[in-house]
Amino acid sequence: MLNGNTDKIWELLNTVPDPEIPVISVVELGVIRNIEFINDSYLISITPTYSGCPAVKTFQDDIKTCLTNNGVDNFELKLIYSPAWTTDWMTEKTKEKLLKYGISPPSKTVICPQCKSTSTTTISDFGSTACKSFHSCNDCLEPFEHFKCI
Ligand SMILES: [Zn+2]
């Protein structure tokens, strides 16, 4: 049990990967809004990404498991729906990681993660999950997913 060191909690949560994109942590995704230490307990405020995303339940479980495994049992998760999560909360570094992983990061212009071409065709508004759309590159012809901008 930690006593009020919220930095340590941020550090631990930064090791919890996004259930759908393992190269990005839940902190980098921007879903952890705030961590406070109140009445000997950590209050962790989370804003889920897409409301329909099944990953919401998974990452709550992953956060609980990570903290418990590190001996932190005095915490509470609080879901905050307003303001709604937006892809603007992702840092540039996070977007670069997405691109390297092969997913076109959220932006107005869809970029091919393979050849960086902006000449692309939308194949489907839904990729492997509702958070992504499916495209193909007009230059290298590779199909890829784009993290939708919200
Ligand atoms: Zn391409």
Side-chain angles (χ1 to χ4, degrees):
M1 165 163 159
L2 291 164
N3 289 309
N5 186 353
T6 51
D7 286 351
K8 182 68 189 165
I9 303 295
W10 281 108
E11 217 174 276
L12 288 174
L13 295 184
N14 203 26
T15 66
V16 178
D18 173 66
E20 286 168 1
I21 310 158
V23 290
I24 291 177
S25 79
V26 292
V27 171
E28 289 173 318
L29 194 64
V31 298
I32 312 293
R33 298 314 301 152
N34 198 19
I35 302 175
E36 293 164 280
F37 192 70
I38 303 167
N39 298 330
D40 289 331
S41 177
Y42 292 101
L43 181 65
I44 302 166
S45 303
I46 300 170
T47 297
T49 51
Y50 301 79
S51 51
C53 216
V56 174
K57 174 87 179 70
T58 313
F59 73 60
Q60 284 186 76
D61 288 343
D62 291 350
I63 287 167
K64 285 178 194 166
T65 307
C66 167
L67 292 175
T68 309
N69 287 349
N70 283 282
V72 182
D73 50 12
N74 51 330
F75 66 89
E76 204 185 310
L77 302 184
K78 186 172 111 184
L79 291 175
I80 295 178
Y81 293 93
S82 180
W85 181 83
T86 153
T87 39
D88 290 348
W89 292 354
M90 270 188 197
T91 63
E92 287 307 311
K93 201 176 145 226
T94 304
K95 290 177 183 172
E96 269 170 42
K97 273 194 179 180
L98 271 180
L99 198 61
K100 276 202 190 116
Y101 185 64
I103 296 173
S104 180
S107 66
K108 287 204 175 64
T109 312
V110 176
I111 302 167
C112 167
Q114 261 60 248
C115 69
K116 312 290 185 282
S117 167
T118 52
S119 168
T120 62
T121 305
T122 305
I123 295 172
S124 163
D125 283 335
F126 295 97
S128 60
T129 67
C131 324
K132 301 186 206 90
S133 50
F134 203 55
H135 304 259
S136 78
C137 178
N138 297 334
D139 287 319
C140 72
L141 307 175
E142 285 292 325
F144 65 91
E145 286 190 307
H146 168 69
F147 203 112
K148 286 187 213 168
C149 207
I150 58 162

